[in-house]
Amino acid sequence: MAHTPESILEQLKNRAFAPVYFLQGEEPYYIDLISDYIEAHALQEHEKGFNQVVLYGKDVDVPTVLLQAKRFPMMSDRSVVIVKEAQSMADLEKEEGMKQLEAYLKNPLPSTILVFCHKYKSLDGRKALGKAIGKHAVLLTTKKLYDNQVPAWVNHYLKSKGIKGTQQAVLMLSEYIGADLLRLANEIDKLLLNLKPGATLDEQAVQENVGISKEYNIFELQSALIARDALKANRIIHYFEANPKNNPLIPNLSLLFSFFTRILTLHLQPDKSEAGLKKSLGNQAWKVKDYVQAMRVFPPQRCIDIIHYLRVADLQVKGITGGNMGEADILRELVFKMLHPIPRVLAG
């Protein structure tokens, strides 16, 4: 049956182990989290040598996995078989492999914990194997978070560590890193090394420890664009050019795209009162004054033009168009277009 990551981890911590786990989906973070917990905690250290096996999908087939799963434990109550990168198993979705796995699912060895880590995609739940897994195994299907779900995830993760985060710190992490949960968790864990339980994570700590310059970052570039401050914008571009590893252009283009898409969405909504804008902004409601100013500076057609320029810049940085332009030159040209509207020539 289907479960959530939280329900599975709670059962594992209570040492309520199931015979088979099938962990699948687009978001690998929870797949790794659960399989790593089983690998670390299902057996005691002295039991692992004879009773814990880690296999890799590209190196094994279904019969090999089941041969390991059907072995009885030695000097232990249970054994553990973990199949990492199970999506690479050549026969997992072929008729013979599916039949063999279905048969095992219906009658698994109770002393074995068999874990499949099937990353980045999911089995078809309408087919016989998918139905059998759903009925006889602990099934987890993960999905990538949407951008607007990331701040809530960051808050939840901080809370689980006994830490609070300021609204700006949470949004900086969410926007700068995005929906890469593994990287988010790693960056937060590094930040927490310097904080005591019950402390508050603020924006200064994020700026100092996540490679975000206090004065020269994508958020300050957005502020410079709103203020139409070309000098500050070019200083930030120059800083990006001097520190390319900490300021790759593609993620910054993604953030700018989200920023101008949000402005355009606010323009198009019927309720433009402060309350209406706050409701539309959701997690970004505290920045409503900045967005009101941005709406004044960038009317709807300007937003549409800028979104087009961003798409062009994305193609340029990926080498599809634009010749040999470097990232700094692409961004410099983009910002110039943002700050200097190109007159529209009327036909006739």
Side-chain angles (χ1 to χ4, degrees), residues 301-302 305 309 336-337 339-347:
Q301 186 57 54
R302 285 287 296 134
D305 290 341
Y309 301 150
F336 180 86
K337 291 177 180 177
L339 293 175
H340 302 86
I342 299 173
R344 291 178 171 273
V345 179
L346 297 178

Side-chain angles (χ1 to χ4, degrees), residues 158 161-164 191-201:
L158 288 170
K161 302 290 185 177
I163 297 291
K164 296 179 180 179
L191 289 168
L192 299 188
L193 293 175
N194 299 318
L195 294 177
K196 297 179 180 179
T200 298
L201 176 66

